[in-house]
Structures are given as C-alpha cells and as structure tokens.
Amino acid sequence: MSLEGRVALVTGGSRGIGRAIVETLAADGARVAFVYHSNEAAAQEVVQQVESGGGECRAIQADVRSHDAAVGIIEELAEQWERVDILVNNAGIIRDGLLALMEPDAWDAVISTNLTSVYNFCQAATRQMMSQRYGRIINMSSVAASTANPGQANYAASKGGVEGFTRCIATELARRGITVNAVAPGFIETDMTEAVVSAAGADLRKRIPVRRLGKPEDIAHAVRFLAQEESSYITGQVLTVDGGLTLGGF
Ligand code: NAP
C-alpha cells in the first residue's frame, strides 16, 4: 500500500467525489480525516465504510469558509496523527444564474466555498508541511475554469482562481518538498450534477468522446496518483479528467 504511514485531509469528503477520494486514499493505507458541512449521516457512513475495510478515518464537522476552522483542524490533526502529508481541497458548491439575475450572496457563497477555502486550508497546512519538508496538495478545479457555460460566471471565476492560486503557491513551495496540483473534472455523476444530468443525459454523453459520464472514482484515481511520493516532479499542473470532453471535435 503506497500511502502507508501518510496522513491525509480531504475537504467535502462526505459525498460524491470527496467520498471516493477518502475511500481511495484509505484503501492505499493513509489515515484519512475529512471535513463535511451539514450531512452528518452521510459522513458517518463514510467513516464506517473505511473502518469496515480496516482503515482509519475521522469525520470533522466544519465550514471550509472559516480560516479559524482550517487552522484549528490542521493543528488538531498534526497533534493527534503527528503529520499532515496530503491535503485535498475538494469541497465545493454551485449557485448558477445568469449575471443579470445573480444576487451578491450567490457570488459570495461560491467564491468563499470554492476559492477562499483553498487559501484557508493551504495556508494552515503548509505551515505543518514545511516543518516536515514534505507535502502533497491537490486542489479541485473544473473544466468550467477553462470553458464557458452561461450561468456559471461565479463558479468559473472560483475555479479559474483555484488554478491560478495553485500555480503560484507551487512555485513558493517547490523547494520545501511540497507539490501543489489541481484536478479538473468534466461531468461526474454526483448530487451536484444530478439536475443537469437528468435534464440532458443522452445529449451530454454524445458530447463526451468516451461516451459516458465520469464516476467519482475516476477523479479519485487521479488524486491518488498526484498524492504519491513518486509524483514529486509534477507541480503547478492541472490534470483534466473529463473523458475527452474538452478536446472538441465531437
Ligand atoms: P457534492 O456531491 O455536492 O459534495 C459536496 C461536498 O462538499 C459535500 O461533502 C459537502 O458536505 C461539502 N461542502 C459543501 N460546502 C461546504 C462547506 N461550506 N464546508 C464544508 N464542507 C462543505 O459535490 P461533488 O460533485 O462531489 O464535487 C466535489 C468537487 O468537485 C467540488 O469542488 C466541485 O466543484 C468539483 N467538481 C465537480 C464536478 C461534477 O461533475 N460533479 C465537475 C467538476 C468539478 P455536506 O455533505 O455536509 O453537505
């Protein structure tokens, strides 16, 4: 198990992509803590699933928009498990709407949940990672960062921000043994995309060269790859995992 002895923190680990990441990292031998916001039942189910497979897992209720919460979680984790090796900033939301109708709270909610949270947890975790001279940070972006969907200006801005932030801090942290990369999923079947998928399922598949929607596990495998010690020469990159959606030509 290649992540044996490693400690990982995943935000938004109670459902969808985050849940698959928690389970995949734990199956590889990492001790995994994850943050969830309000769905306690879903969070406990993930803990039980990991523990029933012999893994170690903790669910932490918090709001990723809070800097204080991020600092407290990293301090507690470093004290309890002695290290923080892998940080996956995955928590995210959508609040779609055309610009003319987009209320300030829809803008603020998406930017603070998807982008400010990444600053919060990266800043808190890198203090610990620098003292270890080791870290793997993976930030969840989206193909929306580099394409254009009407009604997603707030979401695209947040994910574009995540990619720029990732590149900048990758250069700051490279000499400390810390890599920072982003993963950009296409359409993945989760609660977040349920409405879009049920409205446009067949048409959506026709636009994807591999002719299927992604599964949370497809993203978890990419995260696991970047989380390995052996991925030390990859930093500041965005790994697109979209079944060829953004290649065009279909
Ligand atoms: P999801 O199924 O809606 O799950 C979202 C997760 O984030 C849940 O665990 C939720 O916790 C947590 N969360 C939301 N707001 C939070 C907050 N303020 N504080 C703490 N936790 C919070 O989403 P998903 O589809 O798996 O998406 C995961 C990530 O992938 C997001 O960053 C998303 O933008 C990105 N992404 C998804 C797709 C896709 O097709 N699904 C495509 C591209 C990118 P609770 O369970 O407590 O609510």
Side-chain angles (χ1 to χ4, degrees):
M1 296 209 287
S2 58
L3 297 178
E4 194 82 57
R6 297 292 181 199
V7 171
L9 176 66
V10 180
T11 67
S14 50
R15 293 184 286 120
I17 293 170
R19 174 177 181 158
I21 294 169
V22 170
E23 292 176 0
T24 299
L25 299 182
D28 247 21
R31 280 180 288 182
V32 188
F34 69 87
V35 178
Y36 69 99
H37 190 219
S38 50
N39 198 331
E40 165 80 23
Q44 288 314 321
E45 202 183 300
V46 179
V47 173
Q48 279 164 19
Q49 176 72 24
V50 171
E51 287 179 348
S52 68
E56 223 175 317
C57 187
R58 279 188 60 197
I60 302 164
Q61 193 285 323
D63 188 336
V64 292
R65 294 173 292 184
S66 161
H67 189 268
D68 287 350
V71 171
I73 288 167
I74 296 289
E75 278 176 5
E76 199 192 314
L77 208 55
E79 202 178 301
Q80 194 186 15
W81 284 347
E82 291 169 6
R83 321 179 46 83
V84 180
D85 299 294
I86 300 161
L87 168 65
V88 186
N89 283 301
N90 164 79
I93 58 166
I94 46 172
R95 288 276 298 274
D96 293 355
L98 296 173
L99 177 63
L101 303 170
M102 190 179 287
E103 299 290 344
D105 76 305
W107 173 267
D108 289 340
V110 169
I111 297 295
S112 57
T113 308
N114 298 4
L115 178 58
T116 308
S117 67
V118 178
Y119 153 76
N120 291 340
F121 279 86
C122 283
Q123 195 188 50
T126 51
R127 287 182 190 140
Q128 172 65 27
M129 288 174 175
M130 283 193 287
S131 73
Q132 299 167 182
R133 299 197 71 79
Y134 183 87
R136 296 281 177 269
I137 298 175
I138 298 114
N139 297 325
M140 204 53 67
S141 182
S142 165
V143 293
S146 52
T147 56
N149 298 321
Q152 288 210 307
N154 53 357
Y155 186 71
S158 73
K159 296 301 188 181
V162 166
E163 293 187 5
F165 179 84
T166 297
R167 281 188 287 272
C168 285
I169 69 163
T171 64
E172 293 179 22
L173 298 167
R175 279 170 301 160
R176 314 286 191 132
I178 303 168
T179 65
V180 192
N181 291 288
V183 171
F187 285 109
I188 312 300
E189 285 181 287
T190 68
D191 295 344
M192 183 181 276
T193 50
E194 203 177 1
V196 183
V197 170
S198 56
D203 285 348
L204 217 49
R205 283 178 189 84
K206 280 189 207 145
R207 287 173 51 202
I208 303 170
V210 304
R211 291 291 190 269
R212 68 170 177 86
L213 300 171
K215 301 188 202 73
E217 292 72 23
D218 292 317
I219 306 305
H221 290 312
V223 169
R224 174 171 59 183
F225 165 67
L226 293 168
Q228 307 280 338
E229 190 169 349
E230 292 78 3
S231 295
S232 60
Y233 209 57
I234 305 170
T235 197
Q237 303 304 305
V238 179
L239 177 52
T240 300
V241 186
D242 69 351
L245 175 71
T246 49
L247 294 174
F250 280 82

